[in-house]
Structures are given as structure tokens and as C-alpha cells.
């Protein structure tokens, strides 16, 4: 078999005589994907898998945003009270670990959000304030806000344990109310006060995150056009505070008929976005602010029609086209769902559908995946917040980057069902540590990989590519432990057996740093704790993030990938041309 032009010199020489070379392939079809075919081994050869790996280091196949991995907060945090605790030093520290990133403030309750320019909701006439403070610590929160207002720069608080305990009790009660609303599709209005907006912006700004605020799109005039009066009040207040914010309008407009029995078609939604752009241009602070949308749901037939109507009218108005994706119905998920390769691959088809529409009406327009999570319906405890869910999350990051999606927004950073990265005790969950490793090691330049392997006998649907997934990027420029020119591989092994990978070509005989992430404790895949290279990960006693220490592998050593694991490998001093310059 002739060697393709992309094969590195000497690759075939590594193969033993008589063994068949599988077709090489890269990360995705758009990056030159060529499927690996199962080949029957000659008689007399011991049954084992040999995998040879090289990376094209001359030029990147994609360049994604520096903010590629970004975060979301759901407006339900107003309802259950967690917004009042965003000034927590521990939460700010955890969020800083994932900077730079966008912080999208949006969710199902976006289109029931009303802005009131009042400072102290507890003193407002007409009953309890819209922030629903618990009576026994309402005054403490007000006093702590006043103290924070007197500080300069970032407003960071250390909340007493009793206050956090009371908040968790309140949040548990409110969670039942929110679930009832969600399953009955009857949502109550939320009030965002000026003080609450201040707290939200303070959290984003102190954490190094850029806030994206989604405005209520369901305030409608009799002719079904958007009523912008409340949004204008919010914009004027934000501008008076000189808040640096980007904007959206609405959340999953394809679901409006289900929510309120009144639909908005793509053409009307496009006109609404043009109206919002005009409003932004009238306000000096936001005359050049970014605008994103339409944040549609999964691209089924009716959703595609809505997107097409929107793009015809407002495709040039938005800075990026956005949509959402959830893999599993959260009410029926089980741990084995996270190991199914066909589930991991469902995203590829949706990416192609979105790209086809966008490239038809606005070629080259950036595309974002906003509101992505392992499961819908808020997720399930001990499943979507466990180690097992990380396989979907890491594969999502690799797949989106390789196919040119500029930004992915994780739903949610804190307190929305069980898809979040941080729990109510402000402890990081497995997907947080996975995200932290990604941020520390992965740069925006995506590289094509070349893999050759052997399989004992052909088995339909069980090729190497399916259960062993490998992605490659230039190592992050922000990580000063590695010189420019280093590359980072991240590998998902869904096999129940270990796999061996021999680095070839440009990667041969280089020192490698291993970051192996595994579940910690007896719960296995259900675990909410993880270990890195055999050491459990947790925040340090002083409230800081731990150092992520690698394990150095000897030059030329074969990589041994344990079963059911996720791992990162930094190949040092490759001097990759694609990675030497920004």
C-alpha cells in the first residue's frame, strides 16, 4: 500500500513485516478524516493492538477562540438565592481557574426575567423582595453588601458557615418549586434588581470572565414585535455603571409555543435582533458591543426552518450564531449511557446541519454551541455530576474544536440541576477538574493527527477509532511550564482494557508529561471525586487551587492508556512550527 503524503518519514519502517497498515485518519472529516478499517491479522501473530501516533506540526487545521471553554449561569440562581453568594472567595477562585472565558447569564427562565432599578429589594413595598431573602439572615446580607460597596476593586466576601447552611436549606426547598415549574411548563416571573446585576457583574469581572447577558424576548407588543422598554432600562443602568457586557435576546425561541402558547418565527426574531442592535448603537457604551443569537435548540426540522428565517433577516447582525445541545434525557440516563460511542457521535450530525444553514446565508460566520450539558431536564444526581459524564464532556470539547466551532458554553457553573461544575458546598466536581486541565494545557490551535493500528479480527462497529479518541492541540501559551512548540494530546479510552500508543515521526523520542485523570474512591464511574496521576484532587485548605503536577515519562516510552480513563499528554520540545507563534 503506498504511503499517503501526510505520513511521517519512517512510519512504515516501524511496522513489523507481514502486518497490514490501517488507513490513516485525522480528527474529523473536515480536517481530512480517513476512517481506520479493521484488518485481519496474519496467522501466528499474538492478539494485541498496536497503535502508532504522529501529529502534523507544520500548520493548524483550526484556530478556536481563547475563550473556547466558557461557562453559563442560569437565572434560577435569583429564585433560589445563590446569586447573593457569588462574591464568595471560594467561588471566585474556582471561576478564575477557568478564565479567560465568557460567562453567559441565560437559561429557561431568561424570558421571564424583569429588570427593576431598585437598590434594596427588602425595603420595597408590596411584600417580600424579589431576591427572596431568608428572614433570619436578610439583614446580614444587606449589611455585608454595604461593606462590600465600601471596598475598592473586586468585592470578595467570606460568608459565615451558618449563613451557607441556611442558604442550602432554602435552595433545597426552592429546587422543588423550580422542578415543578419545569415539568409543568408554567414559569413564574423573576425580578432582577440593580443590586443583583451589580453582584452578577462583580463575580464575572473579579473572575476574569466576560459577561454575556440574555434579554427577555417574550415581552411582546400586540403585533408580536418585541417590546424593548424593560431591556432599555437595563441597558441604560449597565451603561451608567460602565459595565462591559455582550448581549443576546431570548433562549431557545423554538420552545416559545410550549412555554406560553405563542410562537415567534425566524423572520420576526431576526427583526427583533435588528431592533436590539439599533438600541445598542444608541447607547455609547454598547455601540460596538457584541450580539449573539438566536440560541436555538437541537436542529430538528422546525428548528432549522426557524434558523433559516432568522439568518435571511439578521445573519449579518449577530457576531456569532448560537445553538444548544443535550445528549441524554436526564430522566432515563444510566451510567452506561456515557460509554456509548454512538451517543458521543450524535453531535457531529448536528454540527453539520447548523454549518450548512450558516454557510448558506453568512459564509465564514462564527458558530457557538451554547448551553451544552450531558443530560437535559437538569440532569441526574450521581450520573451527570459524576466521573462518567466526563467522557461526553471531553469528547464534546475535542469534536467541536476539530470541526471549527469557535466557543462552547458549559451549562452550568453552579447550581442548576446536576449538570453543574461546582456543587452547593462550593466543591469542584469531576467535570470541573477536567475543564481546569483543559484550560491549563490546551491552546487554541488544533492539529491533525495520524494514527495507524492493528486489530485482531474485523468486528463491525468495533474499530479502534470508536472507543479510543485522540485529539491534539498546541500547548497553551499561558502555561509557562512548557516552551512554545510543545503539543498536547488528550485521549479518551472507552475500552475496558488498556491500550498502548507508540509516538512516531515528529513525536518520537520526546519527553512526555502525563496527566491521567481517574475516579477516586469506591464509587468508580459514579464517583464525584477524581485523582490526578494517583493523587486525589481537592482545593487547598487556604482556599486556593492545587498545583496540577504531571508525571514525567522517559523519552521514547510507549504511552499506556488505562481502561475507562481520560488523560492529557504534553509532548515537550517538539519545536512544532504551528505552535511557535501566536
Amino acid at each position: 500500500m503506498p504511503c499517503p503524503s501526510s505520513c511521517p518519514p519512517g512510519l512504515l519502517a516501524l511496522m513489523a513485516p507481514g502486518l497490514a497498515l490501517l488507513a490513516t485518519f485525522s480528527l474529523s472529516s473536515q480536517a481530512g478524516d480517513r476512517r481506520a478499517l479493521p484488518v485481519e491479522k496474519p496467522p501466528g501473530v499474538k492478539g494485541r493492538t498496536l497503535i502508532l501516533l504522529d501529529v502534523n506540526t507544520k500548520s493548524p487545521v483550526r484556530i478556536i477562540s481563547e475563550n473556547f471553554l466558557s461557562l453559563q449561569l442560569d437565572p434560577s440562581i435569583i429564585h433560589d438565592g445563590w446569586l447573593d453568594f457569588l462574591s464568595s472567595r471560594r467561588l471566585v477562585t474556582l471561576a478564575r481557574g477557568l478564565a479567560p472565558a465568557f460567562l453567559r447569564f441565560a437559561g429557561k427562565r431568561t424570558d421571564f426575567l424583569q429588570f427593576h432599578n431598585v437598590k434594596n429589594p427588602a425595603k420595597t413595598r408590596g411584600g417580600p423582595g424579589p431576591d427572596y431573602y431568608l428572614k433570619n439572615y436578610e439583614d446580614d446580607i444587606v449589611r455585608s453588601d454595604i461593606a462590600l460597596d465600601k471596598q475598592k476593586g473586586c468585592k470578595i466576601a467570606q460568608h459565615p458557615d451558618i449563613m451557607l447552611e441556611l442558604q442550602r436549606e432554602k435552595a433545597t426547598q426552592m429546587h422543588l418549586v423550580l422542578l415543578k415549574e419545569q415539568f409543568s411548563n408554567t414559569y413564574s416571573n423573576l425580578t432582577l434588581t440593580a443590586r443583583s446585576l451589580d453582584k452578577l457583574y462583580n463575580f464575572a469581572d473579579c473572575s476574569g470572565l466576560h459577561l454575556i447577558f440574555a434579554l427577555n424576548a417574550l415581552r411582546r407588543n400586540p403585533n408580536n414585535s418585541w417590546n424593548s422598554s424593560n431591556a432599555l432600562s437595563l441597558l441604560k443602568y449597565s451603561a451608567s455603571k460602565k459595565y462591559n457586557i455582550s448581549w443576546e435576546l431570548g433562549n431557545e425561541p423554538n420552545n416559545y409555543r410550549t412555554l406560553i402558547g405563542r410562537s415567534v418565527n425566524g423572520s420576526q426574531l431576526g427583526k427583533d435582533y435588528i431592533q436590539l442592535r439599533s438600541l445598542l448603537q444608541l447607547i455609547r457604551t454598547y455601540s460596538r458591543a457584541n450580539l449573539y443569537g438566536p440560541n436555538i435548540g437541537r436542529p430538528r426540522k422546525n428548528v432549522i426552518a426557524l434558523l433559516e428565517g432568522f439568518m435571511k433577516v439578521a445573519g449579518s447582525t449577530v457576531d456569532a450564531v448560537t445553538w444548544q445541545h443535550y445528549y441524554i434525557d436526564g430522566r432515563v440516563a444510566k451510567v452506561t449511557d456515557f460509554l456509548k460511542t454512538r451517543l458521543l457521535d450524535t453531535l457531529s450530525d448536528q454540527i453539520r446541519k447548523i454549518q450548512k444553514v450558516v454557510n448558506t446565508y453568512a459564509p465564514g460566520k462564527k458558530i457557538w454551541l451554547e448551553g451544552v450539558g450531558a443530560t437535559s431536564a437538569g440532569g441526574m444526581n450521581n450520573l451527570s455530576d459524576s466521573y462518567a459524564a466526563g467522557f461526553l464532556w471531553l469528547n464534546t470539547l475535542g469534536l467541536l474544536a476539530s470541526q471549527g466551532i469557535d466557543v462552547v458554553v458549559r451549562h452550568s457553573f453552579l447550581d442548576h440541576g446536576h449538570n453543574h461544575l461546582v456543587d452547593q458546598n462550593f466543591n469542584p466536581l469531576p467535570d470541573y477538574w477536567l475543564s481546569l486541565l483543559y484550560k491549563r494545557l490546551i491552546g487554541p490551535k488544533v492539529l491533525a493527527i495520524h494514527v495507524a493500528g492493528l486489530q485482531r479480527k474485523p468486528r463491525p462497529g468495533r474499530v479502534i477509532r470508536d472507543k479510543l479518541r485522540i485529539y491534539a492541540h498546541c500547548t497553551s501559551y499561558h502555561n509557562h511550564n512548557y516552551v512554545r512548540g510543545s503539543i498536547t494530546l488528550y485521549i479518551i479510552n472507552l475500552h475496558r482494557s488498556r491500550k498502548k500508543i507508540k509516538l512516531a515521526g515528529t513525536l518520537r523520542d520526546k519527553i512526555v508529561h502525563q496527566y491521567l485523570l481517574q475516579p477516586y474512591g469506591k464509587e468508580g464511574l459514579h464517583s464525584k471525586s477524581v485523582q490526578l496521576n494517583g493523587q486525589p484532587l481537592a482545593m487547598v485548605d487556604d482556599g486556593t487551587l492545587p498545583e496540577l503536577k504531571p508525571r514525567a515519562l522517559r523519552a521514547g516510552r510507549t504511552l499506556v492508556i488505562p481502561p475507562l480513563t481520560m488523560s492529557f499528554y504534553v509532548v515537550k520540545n517538539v519545536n512544532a512550527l504551528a505552535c511557535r507563534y501566536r
Side-chain angles (χ1 to χ4, degrees), residues 499-518:
K499 297 298 172 184
K500 293 184 178 181
I501 297 178
K502 181 71 175 178
L503 300 182
T506 54
L507 309 185
R508 187 186 306 151
D509 297 330
K510 298 293 189 297
I511 295 176
V512 176
H513 279 184
Q514 178 192 59
Y515 298 82
L516 176 62
L517 202 66
Q518 294 174 291

Side-chain angles (χ1 to χ4, degrees), residues 272-285:
D272 299 338
Y273 264 79
I274 291 174
Q275 182 182 349
L276 175 54
R277 175 61 81 183
S278 298
L279 278 182
L280 294 174
Q281 290 173 343
L282 291 174
I283 301 172
R284 175 180 292 183
T285 304

Side-chain angles (χ1 to χ4, degrees), residues 225-244:
S225 63
W226 179 50
N227 185 327
S228 61
S229 58
N230 190 257
L232 183 59
S233 176
L234 192 155
L235 289 169
K236 287 182 176 179
Y237 176 78
S238 300
S240 71
K241 304 284 282 190
K242 294 184 169 53
Y243 288 160
N244 181 19

Side-chain angles (χ1 to χ4, degrees), residues 39 43 54 130 163 187 217 248 278 312 451 473 481 485-486 537 561 567 571:
V39 178
D54 191 16
M163 189 180 290
Y187 295 93
E248 290 185 355
S278 298
K312 288 177 184 178
V451 178
H473 287 237
N481 294 323
S486 300
L537 283 175
I561 317 298
S567 51
V571 187

